[in-house]
Amino acid sequence: MTDMESSERGVPAMENTETKGRTAKDNNDESFKKLVNASVVIVLVALIFIALFSFFFSMQEAIFALFNPRYQALMQAVFSLMVLVMGIYMIRMFLTK
């Protein structure tokens, strides 16, 4: 007897509890995987920001070491402008998706 025939006759349809249990377990597994993936992404983004700050300050020191003191301020300004332009470009690229 199908579920439709059971409901027409007034007999309650028997639910397949095995399938229902698997669906709930699959949903929990998927939500756990999403949570783990989100956690990994957050940690990676934090590491990227730390690396970017480290790179920025290292480049500042390299500018002091490589360039004549007369041109150091100019080179720092150019480097900072490049970082700013690339950051704005990347933000626009991600927001348009």
Side-chain angles (χ1 to χ4, degrees):
M1 188 179 321
T2 64
D3 290 341
M4 185 170 269
E5 290 174 351
S6 308
S7 61
E8 288 174 356
R9 293 185 180 174
V11 178
M14 294 182 63
E15 294 182 16
N16 189 349
T17 56
E18 184 179 314
T19 305
K20 191 175 187 181
R22 262 192 263 144
T23 305
K25 185 178 179 186
D26 290 343
N27 286 341
N28 287 339
D29 287 344
E30 287 179 28
S31 63
F32 180 72
K33 287 179 185 178
K34 286 181 183 179
L35 182 63
V36 168
N37 287 342
S39 301
V40 169
V41 167
I42 289 170
V43 168
L44 289 176
V45 168
L47 289 174
I48 288 170
F49 277 116
I50 291 169
L52 283 174
F53 281 116
S54 175
F55 174 73
F56 184 80
F57 292 119
S58 296
M59 280 302 295
Q60 296 292 337
E61 290 179 21
I63 288 171
F64 281 125
L66 294 174
F67 291 97
N68 188 346
R70 192 168 134 185
Y71 300 111
Q72 287 175 355
L74 177 64
M75 293 310 295
Q76 284 180 329
V78 168
F79 177 68
S80 296
L81 183 64
M82 285 176 30
V83 169
L84 182 66
V85 167
M86 287 178 17
I88 291 171
Y89 174 75
M90 291 176 71
I91 289 171
R92 286 186 60 205
M93 186 175 66
F94 286 122
L95 290 180
T96 56
K97 284 187 177 183

